[in-house]
Amino acid sequence: MKDNSLDVMEMPLFEVFIRSANGLEHRHVGSLHAADAEMAITNARDVYVRRNEGVSIWVVPSESITASDPADKEMLFEPMKDKIYRHPTFYNLPEGVQNI
Amino acid sequence: MYTQSLDTDPLANDPKEVSDKRELELKKRISEGYVVEPRDDMPERYRKTLIRQMSQHAHSEVVGMLPEGNWILRAPTLKRKSILLAKVQDEAGHGLYLYSATETLGVSRDALYEDLLQGRAKYSSIFNYPTLNWADVGVIGWLVDGAAIMNQIPLTQCSYGPYARAMVRICKEESFHQRQGFDLLNEMMQGTQKQKDMVQDAVDRWWWPALMMFGPEDSDSIHSEESKAWGIKKKTNDELRQTFIDVTVPQAETLGVTLPDPQLKWNETREHYDFGKIDWNEFWRVVSGSGPCNKDRIGVKKKAWEEGAWVREAAMAHAMKSKGR
Ligand SMILES: [Fe+2]
Ligand SMILES: [Fe+2]
């Protein structure tokens, strides 16, 4: 076997999302390699749903996902931290007030 | 899976004092419960340590299918065959969860797999022993998966998110593995003398290799400290080994088998079982490639990979063609 023989062949990577039951959202469970989306669904069934873990599968080519850069964490998420007035717990209610 | 500490750190030669400020900072945050996720900024030493441990773990799952796969066609009943098939399929799944988790660190699946096929990668020493009789299948479930569970449960809390999540899935499935093994043995122990002898023979052969699965003694384990500091390992090899022995001895009594260690004895003051000396020469021999089945195991994987090449090529060709349509 040539040393680079494997690289030539590597099948694309897909991210797998499973809905565990109706009424719940699809949730990321991991990834797998497959030649195309159809094969990815079949493989996902065998790899991630061997025990009734789901009722629906999404597969998405990993390269189609755009992720936020961890380095932008501060810029993206820090500004929300000091907006405590967005939470109901920010407000003190006079004693006796109910159903609010 | 089957994690095992193996002493092959690519960074072992780095001077110890190289742990720079960045490493210390991360270690501190990890000790405070911080979980690292893919693409987060991480020191190279942390990344390498993870790749080494996770890929060895993945390889172990995949090679771990072979000793039991040997018995699928010879399972004595349809029930046992179905159980064994499901168990072996789970191990394939474990390998795949772990390869995909390792890939989040920026290594390619094929590069990892190539390392295994070329004999450059390590995997758990236990799978280089042969499965000689049907009771071996039960003993693997009971002792080997049992030891694996002991190793793996702390990893569900490890500092790298994708590894921890893969371990949660794996641990849920492993308890079925251990129980089906115990159940198989328990059934054989209700049978004829010959069946009982088969169980005892299998226990005698697998007991010590199972204890070796926890890796070298702490005093000889160069990785333990490093992995512990990174939050990748939570308990030491010796701690895990002792816990395994303590829970397994009563199970052996229930089963009615003896464990092949004359020094195995409850120690009142330690509140643990004392046990005999492990043959570390054998361990190192097997880890470094000279176990009874090392060549065969890799040979089988290589053959499967090469003979499956046309299938992968055809699948890719079909995918390309459909895309173009
Ligand atoms: Fe496993
Ligand atoms: Fe297992």
Side-chain angles (χ1 to χ4, degrees):
Chain A
M1 192 186 296
K2 280 176 275 120
D3 241 29
N4 59 356
S5 56
L6 288 171
D7 286 331
V8 180
M9 279 298 300
E10 189 163 278
M11 293 182 178
L13 190 66
F14 288 82
E15 300 301 319
V16 181
F17 301 80
I18 306 277
R19 181 201 295 288
S20 58
N22 276 26
L24 295 172
E25 63 277 75
H26 284 76
R27 214 172 139 181
H28 184 244
V29 291
S31 60
L32 50 75
H33 290 270
D36 55 22
E38 195 189 334
M39 188 197 260
I41 293 268
T42 316
N43 290 356
R45 200 277 314 265
D46 289 343
V47 178
Y48 292 105
V49 198
R50 287 193 301 281
R51 287 180 177 77
N52 279 320
E53 290 96 334
V55 294
S56 164
I57 303 171
W58 286 351
V59 292
V60 182
S62 304
E63 55 173 29
S64 303
I65 292 181
T66 308
S68 62
D69 187 338
D72 293 341
K73 231 177 224 167
E74 233 167 83
M75 181 188 75
L76 287 172
F77 309 112
E78 288 292 310
M80 307 309 157
K81 278 201 180 146
D82 56 10
K83 295 183 176 53
I84 45 174
Y85 48 84
R86 289 185 175 180
H87 299 277
T89 43
F90 177 73
Y91 304 91
N92 291 321
L93 294 178
E95 210 154 307
V97 176
Q98 281 176 352
N99 300 321
I100 183 167
Chain B
M1 151 53 49
Y2 304 96
T3 34
Q4 179 174 56
S5 304
L6 303 166
D7 281 11
T8 51
D9 192 348
L11 302 159
N13 299 328
D14 280 9
K16 271 287 168 219
E17 65 274 8
V18 176
S19 35
D20 55 18
K21 197 162 153 260
R22 196 156 145 253
E23 291 190 357
L24 287 174
E25 262 165 29
L26 183 63
K27 284 178 181 171
K28 185 166 170 284
R29 291 181 76 189
I30 285 173
S31 73
E32 291 159 2
Y34 179 73
V35 177
V36 182
E37 292 292 349
R39 304 182 71 228
D40 278 355
D41 181 40
M42 60 181 94
E44 191 55 15
R45 195 189 287 260
Y46 177 70
R47 201 178 75 89
K48 286 238 170 90
T49 306
L50 277 171
I51 291 175
R52 175 179 51 76
Q53 182 171 331
M54 291 168 71
S55 61
Q56 282 174 2
H57 196 157
H59 298 323
S60 300
E61 300 285 353
V62 165
V63 177
M65 289 190 282
L66 299 176
E68 288 171 292
N70 182 36
W71 282 90
I72 290 173
L73 294 177
R74 290 177 286 167
T77 63
L78 183 57
K79 175 183 129 184
R80 290 292 168 197
K81 190 193 288 247
S82 310
I83 293 171
L84 186 55
L85 267 172
K87 202 257 185 195
V88 172
Q89 192 192 14
D90 273 356
E91 304 302 0
H94 297 176
L96 292 172
Y97 306 155
L98 287 163
Y99 281 129
S100 93
T102 314
E103 283 176 280
T104 64
L105 292 160
V107 276
S108 86
R109 170 80 55 100
D110 283 357
L112 295 170
Y113 207 62
E114 177 97 29
D115 278 346
L116 174 69
L117 296 184
Q118 298 300 333
R120 290 189 292 261
K122 297 249 186 285
Y123 55 86
S124 187
S125 58
I126 195 84
F127 302 117
N128 290 316
Y129 292 87
T131 40
L132 302 180
N133 83 51
W134 171 249
D136 287 35
V137 170
V139 171
I140 287 178
W142 175 41
L143 296 181
V144 176
D145 287 89
I149 292 169
M150 229 20 115
N151 263 334
Q152 290 173 156
I153 286 176
L155 291 173
T156 61
Q157 312 277 324
C158 83
S159 62
Y160 189 55
Y163 194 22
R165 291 191 286 276
M167 292 319 304
V168 170
R169 301 182 71 88
I170 289 176
C171 284
K172 273 189 199 154
E173 301 179 352
E174 290 291 1
S175 58
F176 142 64
H177 296 182
Q178 194 185 16
R179 280 196 192 192
Q180 64 81 34
F182 192 84
D183 180 69
L184 187 165
L185 298 174
N186 198 36
E187 200 174 311
M188 286 182 83
M189 290 303 287
Q190 318 296 320
T192 63
Q193 189 55 46
K194 205 170 169 195
Q195 285 176 303
K196 291 178 193 173
D197 293 344
M198 282 166 77
V199 174
Q200 187 60 58
D201 168 58
V203 170
D204 289 346
R205 281 180 289 107
W206 288 94
W207 174 248
W208 291 106
L211 296 187
M212 293 175 199
M213 284 177 69
F214 297 95
E217 283 169 14
D218 294 348
S219 50
D220 293 324
S221 176
I222 33 170
H223 288 319
S224 268
E225 281 305 308
E226 173 92 31
S227 295
K228 235 180 160 174
W230 289 125
I232 302 168
K233 202 175 167 107
K234 297 272 177 175
K235 290 191 169 173
T236 72
N237 298 352
D238 287 337
E239 283 169 347
L240 291 165
R241 187 166 17 243
Q242 183 70 60
T243 314
F244 175 72
I245 293 171
D246 290 348
V247 303
T248 307
V249 173
Q251 294 167 2
E253 282 163 12
T254 308
L255 213 49
V257 293
T258 54
L259 298 170
D261 180 0
Q263 275 153 275
L264 199 61
K265 205 170 139 246
W266 180 253
N267 183 323
E268 283 290 349
T269 38
R270 283 202 319 130
E271 299 205 315
H272 287 295
Y273 282 93
D274 289 337
F275 55 97
K277 189 96 188 91
I278 292 172
D279 181 358
W280 292 112
N281 288 333
E282 175 180 328
F283 170 79
W284 291 116
R285 215 167 38 239
V286 176
V287 167
S288 57
S290 309
C293 301
N294 297 54
K295 280 218 178 70
D296 185 54
R297 299 290 186 237
I298 295 303
V300 169
K301 296 312 293 177
K302 252 185 154 158
K303 187 163 172 270
W305 180 262
E306 281 160 13
E307 289 179 356
W310 71 271
V311 180
R312 294 189 301 276
E313 269 163 40
M316 282 306 285
H318 174 75
M320 297 297 196
K321 218 170 152 189
S322 319
K323 230 184 195 171
R325 230 178 260 151

